[in-house]
Amino acid sequence: MSDIAGPAPRHRTVAVRVGSVTVGGGAPVVVQSMTNTDTADIDGTVAQVSALARAGSELVRITVDRDEAAAAVPRIRERLDRIGIQVPLVGDFHYIGHKLLADHPGCAEALSKYRINPGNVGFKDKKDRQFGAIVELAAKHGKAVRIGANWGSLDQELLTHLMDENARLPNPAGARAITREALIQSALGSAQRAEEIGLGRDRIILSAKVSNVQDLIAVYQDLARRSDYAIHLGLTEAGMGSKGIVASSAALGILLQQGIGDTIRVSLTPEPGGDRSLEVKVAQEILQTMGFRTFVPLVAACPGCGRTTSTVFQELARDIQDWIHVSMPDWKRTYPGVETLNVAVMGCIVNGPGESKHADIGISLPGTGETPSAPVFIDGKKALTLRGPAIAQDFKSLVGDYIERRYGQLGRDAAE
């Protein structure tokens, strides 16, 4: 029996190069996000792309919906390059993508990937022609393409055809099952057409998004069984706040555990004026919590109970976590490997010492009625006991010293 439980083996997919990032082919799962600025607003879009990239987004998608937006894309790319933001940009095209890419070759070149929705790339006799035009431009410029089917904009001709076929069966399937099949056929059929036009499998990523967790799981399980294209995961229109976070975590967590998914986005609705980069943080935390990747040090903290009526442990856990997130941009350069650090901030004697021993460095604060002292455990052993009014600050200093001692030498060795 293995000592460590883990996910199923990764679904075998073809590797796709998107700018400097590899998606699929066994590469680590890639985190991506999308701006909600008007792309024609160059200053606003550069600022938001920069914020998303600094938060850890490895691909950033921007809307390209009209001439002004397309004309702005190369200028956005130039501005980002000047300030050292190398994150690849993905163009989100609907309805007139073929025209925008043809009319704005600078846009076609500046983007690293084009996103095509087969449900609205064109209608009736224009559909194949306009889809083909985008694929030809992608092949010409050496760009990747995501063929992203979405049940909110599903190819109605295909859906109607499948519904009619299903109705003639002795035991017809339910409407939801047929809708899922239409999504999969739309994505796979479009990918096959792209290959026929001349786009290699190593340039194609597929997605088939829905907003219901169980439907999403069923769609992607089937899509993975029926192809080896790289796969983008995301629960579309996940929602706001805890609802969006929980729904996305449930859906993506199950699929990732089954080895499905090469790149993910958590599509959260932000609060008015809220932080767009929250979706990046949630995506990272899904991957790190499940053990797929490491991004920032983890802080384990107990939820509190009647034994922990003091708020000291809550405040310390919050302060340590905030300090870590603020410090990470500098730490990544100075302390290579620091993202693997585990810190424990516990509130009483019940699980405090044990949990702290499992962390790299941990503290067990006194609970209600306990002796006002806080043992600190470093690398599994009790190192010292803190007392007095400055326990929180003293522990924070110990964490800083631990990071310097454990990871500082690695940084100095790398610099030499």
Short mmCIF file of all heavy atoms in Angstrom, two decimals, residues 194-249:
data_model
loop_
_atom_site.label_atom_id
_atom_site.label_comp_id
_atom_site.label_asym_id
_atom_site.label_seq_id
_atom_site.Cartn_x
_atom_site.Cartn_y
_atom_site.Cartn_z
N ALA A 194 -10.49 21.82 -38.00
CA ALA A 194 -9.28 22.63 -37.91
C ALA A 194 -8.06 21.86 -38.39
O ALA A 194 -7.19 22.40 -39.08
CB ALA A 194 -9.08 23.10 -36.47
N GLU A 195 -7.99 20.59 -38.03
CA GLU A 195 -6.88 19.77 -38.51
C GLU A 195 -6.92 19.60 -40.02
O GLU A 195 -5.88 19.63 -40.69
CB GLU A 195 -6.92 18.40 -37.83
CG GLU A 195 -6.48 18.43 -36.38
CD GLU A 195 -6.14 17.05 -35.85
OE1 GLU A 195 -5.17 16.45 -36.34
OE2 GLU A 195 -6.87 16.56 -34.97
N GLU A 196 -8.10 19.42 -40.57
CA GLU A 196 -8.24 19.29 -42.03
C GLU A 196 -7.76 20.56 -42.74
O GLU A 196 -7.18 20.49 -43.83
CB GLU A 196 -9.69 19.00 -42.39
CG GLU A 196 -10.18 17.63 -41.95
CD GLU A 196 -11.68 17.47 -42.09
OE1 GLU A 196 -12.36 18.46 -42.43
OE2 GLU A 196 -12.18 16.35 -41.84
N ILE A 197 -7.98 21.70 -42.12
CA ILE A 197 -7.56 22.97 -42.71
C ILE A 197 -6.04 23.14 -42.63
O ILE A 197 -5.43 23.81 -43.46
CB ILE A 197 -8.28 24.15 -42.01
CG1 ILE A 197 -9.78 24.10 -42.32
CG2 ILE A 197 -7.71 25.49 -42.42
CD1 ILE A 197 -10.62 25.03 -41.48
N GLY A 198 -5.43 22.50 -41.63
CA GLY A 198 -3.97 22.58 -41.54
C GLY A 198 -3.41 22.94 -40.18
O GLY A 198 -2.20 23.14 -40.03
N LEU A 199 -4.26 23.04 -39.17
CA LEU A 199 -3.79 23.33 -37.82
C LEU A 199 -3.45 22.02 -37.12
O LEU A 199 -4.29 21.12 -37.02
CB LEU A 199 -4.86 24.09 -37.04
CG LEU A 199 -4.42 24.78 -35.75
CD1 LEU A 199 -3.45 25.92 -36.04
CD2 LEU A 199 -5.62 25.30 -34.98
N GLY A 200 -2.23 21.89 -36.62
CA GLY A 200 -1.80 20.65 -35.98
C GLY A 200 -2.48 20.41 -34.65
O GLY A 200 -2.95 21.35 -33.99
N ARG A 201 -2.51 19.15 -34.22
CA ARG A 201 -3.09 18.82 -32.91
C ARG A 201 -2.33 19.50 -31.79
O ARG A 201 -2.88 19.74 -30.70
CB ARG A 201 -3.08 17.30 -32.70
CG ARG A 201 -3.95 16.54 -33.68
CD ARG A 201 -3.80 15.03 -33.49
NE ARG A 201 -4.58 14.54 -32.37
CZ ARG A 201 -5.88 14.27 -32.40
NH1 ARG A 201 -6.56 14.50 -33.51
NH2 ARG A 201 -6.50 13.80 -31.35
N ASP A 202 -1.06 19.80 -32.05
CA ASP A 202 -0.25 20.48 -31.04
C ASP A 202 -0.52 21.98 -30.99
O ASP A 202 0.21 22.73 -30.34
CB ASP A 202 1.23 20.23 -31.28
CG ASP A 202 1.72 20.76 -32.61
OD1 ASP A 202 0.88 21.11 -33.47
OD2 ASP A 202 2.96 20.82 -32.81
N ARG A 203 -1.58 22.42 -31.66
CA ARG A 203 -2.01 23.82 -31.60
C ARG A 203 -3.46 23.94 -31.12
O ARG A 203 -4.02 25.04 -31.15
CB ARG A 203 -1.89 24.47 -32.98
CG ARG A 203 -0.48 24.62 -33.49
CD ARG A 203 0.26 25.70 -32.77
NE ARG A 203 1.62 25.88 -33.27
CZ ARG A 203 2.50 26.72 -32.76
NH1 ARG A 203 2.16 27.45 -31.71
NH2 ARG A 203 3.71 26.84 -33.25
N ILE A 204 -4.07 22.82 -30.71
CA ILE A 204 -5.50 22.83 -30.41
C ILE A 204 -5.76 22.47 -28.95
O ILE A 204 -5.24 21.46 -28.44
CB ILE A 204 -6.25 21.83 -31.32
CG1 ILE A 204 -6.10 22.25 -32.79
CG2 ILE A 204 -7.74 21.75 -30.94
CD1 ILE A 204 -6.65 21.23 -33.78
N ILE A 205 -6.57 23.28 -28.29
CA ILE A 205 -7.04 23.02 -26.93
C ILE A 205 -8.57 23.03 -26.97
O ILE A 205 -9.16 23.86 -27.67
CB ILE A 205 -6.53 24.11 -25.95
CG1 ILE A 205 -5.00 24.10 -25.90
CG2 ILE A 205 -7.12 23.90 -24.54
CD1 ILE A 205 -4.41 25.26 -25.13
N LEU A 206 -9.19 22.12 -26.25
CA LEU A 206 -10.65 22.02 -26.26
C LEU A 206 -11.24 22.36 -24.90
O LEU A 206 -10.63 22.10 -23.85
CB LEU A 206 -11.11 20.60 -26.63
CG LEU A 206 -10.75 20.06 -28.01
CD1 LEU A 206 -11.45 18.72 -28.22
CD2 LEU A 206 -11.11 21.04 -29.11
N SER A 207 -12.44 22.94 -24.93
CA SER A 207 -13.23 23.10 -23.70
C SER A 207 -14.69 22.92 -24.06
O SER A 207 -15.10 23.12 -25.21
CB SER A 207 -13.00 24.46 -23.05
OG SER A 207 -13.47 25.51 -23.87
N ALA A 208 -15.49 22.52 -23.07
CA ALA A 208 -16.94 22.33 -23.25
C ALA A 208 -17.59 22.72 -21.93
O ALA A 208 -17.82 21.88 -21.06
CB ALA A 208 -17.25 20.88 -23.62
N LYS A 209 -17.91 23.99 -21.79
CA LYS A 209 -18.29 24.53 -20.49
C LYS A 209 -19.80 24.58 -20.28
O LYS A 209 -20.56 24.93 -21.18
CB LYS A 209 -17.72 25.93 -20.32
CG LYS A 209 -16.20 25.97 -20.18
CD LYS A 209 -15.75 27.38 -19.86
CE LYS A 209 -14.26 27.45 -19.58
NZ LYS A 209 -13.85 28.82 -19.20
N VAL A 210 -20.18 24.24 -19.05
CA VAL A 210 -21.56 24.38 -18.59
C VAL A 210 -21.50 25.01 -17.19
O VAL A 210 -20.42 25.15 -16.61
CB VAL A 210 -22.30 23.03 -18.54
CG1 VAL A 210 -22.32 22.36 -19.91
CG2 VAL A 210 -21.67 22.09 -17.52
N SER A 211 -22.64 25.38 -16.64
CA SER A 211 -22.65 26.03 -15.33
C SER A 211 -23.18 25.13 -14.22
O SER A 211 -23.30 25.57 -13.08
CB SER A 211 -23.48 27.32 -15.39
OG SER A 211 -24.80 27.04 -15.80
N ASN A 212 -23.49 23.88 -14.53
CA ASN A 212 -23.96 22.91 -13.54
C ASN A 212 -22.85 21.92 -13.25
O ASN A 212 -22.26 21.35 -14.18
CB ASN A 212 -25.21 22.19 -14.08
CG ASN A 212 -25.70 21.12 -13.14
OD1 ASN A 212 -25.18 20.01 -13.12
ND2 ASN A 212 -26.74 21.44 -12.36
N VAL A 213 -22.55 21.70 -11.98
CA VAL A 213 -21.40 20.89 -11.60
C VAL A 213 -21.48 19.48 -12.15
O VAL A 213 -20.53 18.96 -12.77
CB VAL A 213 -21.24 20.87 -10.06
CG1 VAL A 213 -20.21 19.83 -9.64
CG2 VAL A 213 -20.85 22.24 -9.55
N GLN A 214 -22.60 18.80 -11.95
CA GLN A 214 -22.70 17.41 -12.41
C GLN A 214 -22.63 17.30 -13.93
O GLN A 214 -22.02 16.37 -14.47
CB GLN A 214 -23.99 16.77 -11.88
CG GLN A 214 -24.04 16.60 -10.37
CD GLN A 214 -22.99 15.63 -9.85
OE1 GLN A 214 -22.39 14.86 -10.59
NE2 GLN A 214 -22.76 15.66 -8.54
N ASP A 215 -23.24 18.24 -14.64
CA ASP A 215 -23.16 18.23 -16.09
C ASP A 215 -21.72 18.46 -16.55
O ASP A 215 -21.25 17.83 -17.50
CB ASP A 215 -24.07 19.31 -16.69
CG ASP A 215 -25.53 18.91 -16.69
OD1 ASP A 215 -25.83 17.75 -17.03
OD2 ASP A 215 -26.38 19.74 -16.33
N LEU A 216 -21.02 19.37 -15.88
CA LEU A 216 -19.64 19.64 -16.27
C LEU A 216 -18.78 18.39 -16.10
O LEU A 216 -17.97 18.06 -16.98
CB LEU A 216 -19.07 20.78 -15.43
CG LEU A 216 -17.72 21.29 -15.93
CD1 LEU A 216 -17.93 22.36 -16.99
CD2 LEU A 216 -16.85 21.82 -14.81
N ILE A 217 -18.93 17.72 -14.98
CA ILE A 217 -18.15 16.50 -14.75
C ILE A 217 -18.43 15.47 -15.83
O ILE A 217 -17.51 14.87 -16.41
CB ILE A 217 -18.46 15.94 -13.35
CG1 ILE A 217 -17.95 16.91 -12.27
CG2 ILE A 217 -17.84 14.56 -13.16
CD1 ILE A 217 -18.47 16.60 -10.87
N ALA A 218 -19.71 15.27 -16.16
CA ALA A 218 -20.09 14.27 -17.17
C ALA A 218 -19.53 14.65 -18.54
O ALA A 218 -19.02 13.79 -19.28
CB ALA A 218 -21.60 14.15 -17.23
N VAL A 219 -19.61 15.93 -18.91
CA VAL A 219 -19.12 16.37 -20.22
C VAL A 219 -17.63 16.12 -20.35
O VAL A 219 -17.16 15.56 -21.34
CB VAL A 219 -19.44 17.87 -20.44
CG1 VAL A 219 -18.62 18.42 -21.60
CG2 VAL A 219 -20.91 18.07 -20.73
N TYR A 220 -16.86 16.53 -19.35
CA TYR A 220 -15.41 16.41 -19.46
C TYR A 220 -14.92 14.97 -19.33
O TYR A 220 -13.92 14.59 -19.95
CB TYR A 220 -14.72 17.31 -18.45
CG TYR A 220 -14.57 18.73 -18.95
CD1 TYR A 220 -15.42 19.74 -18.54
CD2 TYR A 220 -13.58 19.06 -19.87
CE1 TYR A 220 -15.29 21.04 -19.01
CE2 TYR A 220 -13.43 20.35 -20.36
CZ TYR A 220 -14.29 21.33 -19.92
OH TYR A 220 -14.16 22.61 -20.40
N GLN A 221 -15.61 14.16 -18.57
CA GLN A 221 -15.25 12.74 -18.52
C GLN A 221 -15.40 12.12 -19.91
O GLN A 221 -14.53 11.36 -20.36
CB GLN A 221 -16.13 12.01 -17.51
CG GLN A 221 -15.79 12.31 -16.06
CD GLN A 221 -16.79 11.68 -15.09
OE1 GLN A 221 -17.96 11.46 -15.43
NE2 GLN A 221 -16.36 11.42 -13.87
N ASP A 222 -16.48 12.45 -20.58
CA ASP A 222 -16.72 11.92 -21.92
C ASP A 222 -15.74 12.50 -22.92
O ASP A 222 -15.20 11.79 -23.78
CB ASP A 222 -18.16 12.23 -22.34
CG ASP A 222 -18.71 11.21 -23.33
OD1 ASP A 222 -17.97 10.29 -23.72
OD2 ASP A 222 -19.89 11.33 -23.71
N LEU A 223 -15.49 13.80 -22.83
CA LEU A 223 -14.55 14.44 -23.75
C LEU A 223 -13.16 13.83 -23.62
O LEU A 223 -12.48 13.58 -24.62
CB LEU A 223 -14.50 15.95 -23.46
CG LEU A 223 -13.69 16.82 -24.41
CD1 LEU A 223 -14.26 16.77 -25.82
CD2 LEU A 223 -13.64 18.25 -23.90
N ALA A 224 -12.73 13.55 -22.39
CA ALA A 224 -11.42 12.95 -22.17
C ALA A 224 -11.35 11.53 -22.72
O ALA A 224 -10.30 11.10 -23.21
CB ALA A 224 -11.09 12.95 -20.67
N ARG A 225 -12.45 10.80 -22.62
CA ARG A 225 -12.46 9.43 -23.16
C ARG A 225 -12.36 9.41 -24.67
O ARG A 225 -11.84 8.46 -25.26
CB ARG A 225 -13.75 8.70 -22.74
CG ARG A 225 -13.75 8.17 -21.32
CD ARG A 225 -14.89 7.18 -21.10
NE ARG A 225 -16.20 7.82 -21.21
CZ ARG A 225 -16.87 8.32 -20.18
NH1 ARG A 225 -16.34 8.28 -18.97
NH2 ARG A 225 -18.05 8.87 -20.35
N ARG A 226 -12.86 10.46 -25.31
CA ARG A 226 -13.00 10.44 -26.76
C ARG A 226 -11.93 11.22 -27.52
O ARG A 226 -11.99 11.32 -28.75
CB ARG A 226 -14.39 10.97 -27.13
CG ARG A 226 -15.49 10.03 -26.70
CD ARG A 226 -16.86 10.66 -26.60
NE ARG A 226 -17.40 11.16 -27.85
CZ ARG A 226 -18.65 11.62 -27.99
NH1 ARG A 226 -19.46 11.63 -26.94
NH2 ARG A 226 -19.07 12.05 -29.15
N SER A 227 -10.95 11.78 -26.82
CA SER A 227 -9.91 12.52 -27.54
C SER A 227 -8.65 12.63 -26.71
O SER A 227 -8.65 12.33 -25.52
CB SER A 227 -10.41 13.94 -27.87
OG SER A 227 -10.35 14.78 -26.73
N ASP A 228 -7.57 13.06 -27.37
CA ASP A 228 -6.33 13.33 -26.65
C ASP A 228 -5.88 14.77 -26.83
O ASP A 228 -4.72 15.10 -26.64
CB ASP A 228 -5.22 12.36 -27.09
CG ASP A 228 -4.83 12.52 -28.56
OD1 ASP A 228 -5.50 13.29 -29.29
OD2 ASP A 228 -3.85 11.88 -28.99
N TYR A 229 -6.82 15.64 -27.20
CA TYR A 229 -6.51 17.06 -27.25
C TYR A 229 -6.27 17.60 -25.83
O TYR A 229 -6.86 17.09 -24.87
CB TYR A 229 -7.66 17.86 -27.87
CG TYR A 229 -7.92 17.57 -29.32
CD1 TYR A 229 -9.03 16.81 -29.71
CD2 TYR A 229 -7.09 18.08 -30.32
CE1 TYR A 229 -9.29 16.56 -31.05
CE2 TYR A 229 -7.35 17.82 -31.66
CZ TYR A 229 -8.46 17.06 -32.02
OH TYR A 229 -8.71 16.82 -33.35
N ALA A 230 -5.42 18.62 -25.73
CA ALA A 230 -5.27 19.31 -24.45
C ALA A 230 -6.62 19.89 -24.03
O ALA A 230 -7.41 20.31 -24.87
CB ALA A 230 -4.23 20.41 -24.56
N ILE A 231 -6.88 19.90 -22.73
CA ILE A 231 -8.21 20.26 -22.22
C ILE A 231 -8.13 21.44 -21.26
O ILE A 231 -7.32 21.47 -20.33
CB ILE A 231 -8.87 19.06 -21.51
CG1 ILE A 231 -9.25 17.99 -22.55
CG2 ILE A 231 -10.09 19.49 -20.71
CD1 ILE A 231 -9.85 16.75 -21.96
N HIS A 232 -8.99 22.42 -21.51
CA HIS A 232 -9.18 23.56 -20.61
C HIS A 232 -10.42 23.33 -19.77
O HIS A 232 -11.49 23.05 -20.31
CB HIS A 232 -9.34 24.86 -21.42
CG HIS A 232 -9.82 26.02 -20.61
ND1 HIS A 232 -8.99 26.71 -19.75
CD2 HIS A 232 -11.04 26.61 -20.50
CE1 HIS A 232 -9.68 27.69 -19.16
NE2 HIS A 232 -10.93 27.63 -19.59
N LEU A 233 -10.27 23.43 -18.44
CA LEU A 233 -11.39 23.22 -17.52
C LEU A 233 -11.90 24.54 -16.98
O LEU A 233 -11.12 25.44 -16.67
CB LEU A 233 -10.95 22.39 -16.31
CG LEU A 233 -10.57 20.93 -16.49
CD1 LEU A 233 -10.28 20.34 -15.11
CD2 LEU A 233 -11.65 20.14 -17.19
N GLY A 234 -13.20 24.62 -16.83
CA GLY A 234 -13.79 25.77 -16.16
C GLY A 234 -15.28 25.61 -16.06
O GLY A 234 -15.93 25.12 -16.99
N LEU A 235 -15.83 25.98 -14.93
CA LEU A 235 -17.28 26.00 -14.75
C LEU A 235 -17.75 27.38 -15.16
O LEU A 235 -17.45 28.38 -14.50
CB LEU A 235 -17.63 25.73 -13.28
CG LEU A 235 -19.11 25.58 -12.95
CD1 LEU A 235 -19.63 24.22 -13.42
CD2 LEU A 235 -19.35 25.74 -11.45
N THR A 236 -18.46 27.48 -16.26
CA THR A 236 -18.85 28.78 -16.77
C THR A 236 -19.93 29.40 -15.88
O THR A 236 -20.74 28.70 -15.29
CB THR A 236 -19.35 28.66 -18.23
OG1 THR A 236 -19.47 29.97 -18.79
CG2 THR A 236 -20.69 27.96 -18.34
N GLU A 237 -19.92 30.72 -15.80
CA GLU A 237 -20.89 31.43 -14.97
C GLU A 237 -21.01 30.80 -13.58
O GLU A 237 -22.11 30.51 -13.10
CB GLU A 237 -22.27 31.47 -15.65
CG GLU A 237 -22.38 32.46 -16.79
CD GLU A 237 -21.87 31.91 -18.11
OE1 GLU A 237 -22.28 30.82 -18.50
OE2 GLU A 237 -21.06 32.58 -18.77
N ALA A 238 -19.87 30.60 -12.93
CA ALA A 238 -19.87 29.92 -11.63
C ALA A 238 -20.63 30.70 -10.57
O ALA A 238 -21.21 30.12 -9.65
CB ALA A 238 -18.43 29.69 -11.17
N GLY A 239 -20.62 32.04 -10.66
CA GLY A 239 -21.35 32.85 -9.70
C GLY A 239 -20.44 33.71 -8.85
O GLY A 239 -19.23 33.83 -9.11
N MET A 240 -21.00 34.28 -7.82
CA MET A 240 -20.32 35.26 -6.97
C MET A 240 -20.01 34.68 -5.59
O MET A 240 -20.76 33.85 -5.09
CB MET A 240 -21.21 36.50 -6.83
CG MET A 240 -20.62 37.65 -6.04
SD MET A 240 -21.73 39.08 -5.95
CE MET A 240 -21.53 39.76 -7.60
N GLY A 241 -18.91 35.14 -5.02
CA GLY A 241 -18.59 34.81 -3.63
C GLY A 241 -18.43 33.33 -3.37
O GLY A 241 -17.91 32.58 -4.20
N SER A 242 -18.91 32.89 -2.20
CA SER A 242 -18.69 31.50 -1.79
C SER A 242 -19.37 30.52 -2.74
O SER A 242 -18.85 29.42 -2.96
CB SER A 242 -19.21 31.30 -0.36
OG SER A 242 -20.59 31.56 -0.28
N LYS A 243 -20.51 30.89 -3.33
CA LYS A 243 -21.18 29.98 -4.26
C LYS A 243 -20.28 29.66 -5.44
O LYS A 243 -20.10 28.51 -5.83
CB LYS A 243 -22.50 30.60 -4.73
CG LYS A 243 -23.35 29.68 -5.62
CD LYS A 243 -23.03 29.82 -7.09
CE LYS A 243 -23.86 28.88 -7.95
NZ LYS A 243 -23.47 28.90 -9.38
N GLY A 244 -19.69 30.69 -6.05
CA GLY A 244 -18.82 30.47 -7.19
C GLY A 244 -17.57 29.69 -6.83
O GLY A 244 -17.12 28.82 -7.58
N ILE A 245 -17.00 29.99 -5.66
CA ILE A 245 -15.79 29.29 -5.22
C ILE A 245 -16.07 27.82 -4.95
O ILE A 245 -15.34 26.93 -5.38
CB ILE A 245 -15.21 29.98 -3.97
CG1 ILE A 245 -14.69 31.37 -4.34
CG2 ILE A 245 -14.09 29.14 -3.36
CD1 ILE A 245 -14.28 32.22 -3.14
N VAL A 246 -17.16 27.55 -4.22
CA VAL A 246 -17.49 26.17 -3.88
C VAL A 246 -17.84 25.36 -5.13
O VAL A 246 -17.36 24.23 -5.31
CB VAL A 246 -18.66 26.13 -2.87
CG1 VAL A 246 -19.16 24.70 -2.68
CG2 VAL A 246 -18.22 26.71 -1.53
N ALA A 247 -18.66 25.92 -6.01
CA ALA A 247 -19.06 25.20 -7.21
C ALA A 247 -17.85 24.89 -8.09
O ALA A 247 -17.68 23.76 -8.58
CB ALA A 247 -20.10 26.00 -7.99
N SER A 248 -16.99 25.87 -8.29
CA SER A 248 -15.79 25.64 -9.12
C SER A 248 -14.86 24.63 -8.47
O SER A 248 -14.31 23.76 -9.14
CB SER A 248 -15.05 26.96 -9.34
OG SER A 248 -15.82 27.85 -10.12
N SER A 249 -14.67 24.73 -7.16
CA SER A 249 -13.78 23.81 -6.46
C SER A 249 -14.29 22.38 -6.54
O SER A 249 -13.52 21.44 -6.75
CB SER A 249 -13.63 24.23 -5.00
OG SER A 249 -13.10 25.53 -4.90
#
